[in-house]
Amino acid sequence: MSSSPDSPPDTELLARGELTVRGQVREASNAVLYCTVAHEGREAACVYKPVAGERPLWDFPDGTLAEREVAAYELSEATGWGLVPPTVLRDGPYGEGMVQLWIEPDPEARLLALTEDEEAGEGWKAIGPAEVGEGRTALLVHADTPDLRRLAVLDAVMNNGDRKGGHLLPAPGGRLYGIDHGVSFHVEDKLRTLLWGWAGQELPAEAAGVLAGLDRALAPGAPLATRLAELLTDAEVSAVRRRVGAMLASGRHPEPSGQWPAIPWPPV
């Protein structure tokens, strides 16, 4: 079996392979099934989220979370950063759903930490105070790495409403992946994330260049805009375009709007 993040993204395997359910991820809020997919002698572990298993949300149309997960992958691929595991929309044992390559995280990697210091130390960025019991608080921090910063930019573009710590997967070899993007791409500002360490700071030159590329790729009729229009509403695609333009104009990472909780709950 192969689900190595070092292998080339193989959406054909995910889309055309025979999907076999092996178990269920119990702690998930929606139906998340652990599966294997096999095709032409190749096999990989994957996650299958059937649309039928999605719980209704008050602020998102019913039955759209799987398409948003695929849209996140398409957007990530357009940046060239490869921060979302290969993801497809396909039929499965319980109907249409999202199928995504399973990423086994590196248990030794540390992306989040608590410190009793008043400021984040070298190599870390402050998120904010966190209760640790008995009336005590500590400073919650996230790692200061290029990939996490890229993911913060991607989250801002897709308007990710749920970037928890458990949705960050550091893979062996140093790769970073973000998962669970079903509550993304809303037309209203719903950015909720742990990755606020760069809020208000100037964007790196690399990120500005990637955003400029996205701006061109999102022009009406361009391939990325056309692909996203198959997965999102016209208003949602236009909102992606506006967010890219706003970040290019400001040249900075966005800051919390104050109109929506900035950090998801639970944060991890």
Side-chain angles (χ1 to χ4, degrees), residues 57-225:
L57 298 172
W58 68 269
D59 51 349
F60 283 84
D62 293 350
T64 66
L65 304 190
E67 292 173 316
R68 296 172 193 278
E69 296 252 29
V70 178
Y73 168 70
E74 298 287 355
L75 186 65
S76 169
E77 288 298 284
T79 65
W81 287 334
L83 293 169
V84 177
T87 312
V88 302
L89 192 69
R90 59 162 289 177
D91 194 30
Y94 299 101
E96 186 178 58
M98 178 277 275
V99 175
Q100 185 176 80
L101 188 70
W102 178 270
I103 302 297
E104 195 66 42
D106 181 355
E108 301 300 321
R110 293 179 68 233
L111 298 178
L112 300 171
L114 289 167
T115 176
E116 295 185 357
D117 296 335
E118 294 183 359
E119 297 182 358
E122 184 177 355
W124 297 90
K125 289 286 186 179
I127 301 170
E131 295 184 6
V132 293
E134 300 180 354
R136 296 170 51 245
T137 61
L139 183 64
L140 181 62
V141 297
H142 67 69
D144 183 5
T145 70
D147 270 351
L148 273 182
R149 192 165 191 175
R150 291 172 185 137
L151 191 58
V153 172
L154 183 65
D155 280 344
V157 171
M158 74 172 74
N159 196 17
N160 190 351
D162 196 32
R163 177 58 75 204
K164 294 183 173 74
H167 300 168
L168 301 171
L169 297 184
R175 287 289 301 271
L176 173 72
Y177 291 93
I179 61 170
D180 286 345
H181 300 108
V183 289
S184 299
F185 297 103
H186 202 286
V187 296
E188 299 175 6
D189 179 13
K190 291 185 178 290
L191 183 60
R192 292 197 305 172
T193 176
L194 286 177
L195 304 181
W196 287 117
W198 301 282
Q201 293 185 16
E202 186 176 349
L203 290 167
E206 179 206 27
V210 166
L211 289 170
L214 285 181
D215 190 53
R216 295 188 294 271
L218 287 164
L224 179 60

Side-chain angles (χ1 to χ4, degrees), residues 20-42:
T20 302
V21 176
R22 304 295 185 185
Q24 183 174 4
V25 181
R26 294 289 183 182
E27 61 268 22
S29 56
N30 297 296
V32 180
L33 304 176
Y34 177 78
C35 303
T36 55
V37 60
H39 180 64
E40 295 184 346
R42 297 191 61 205

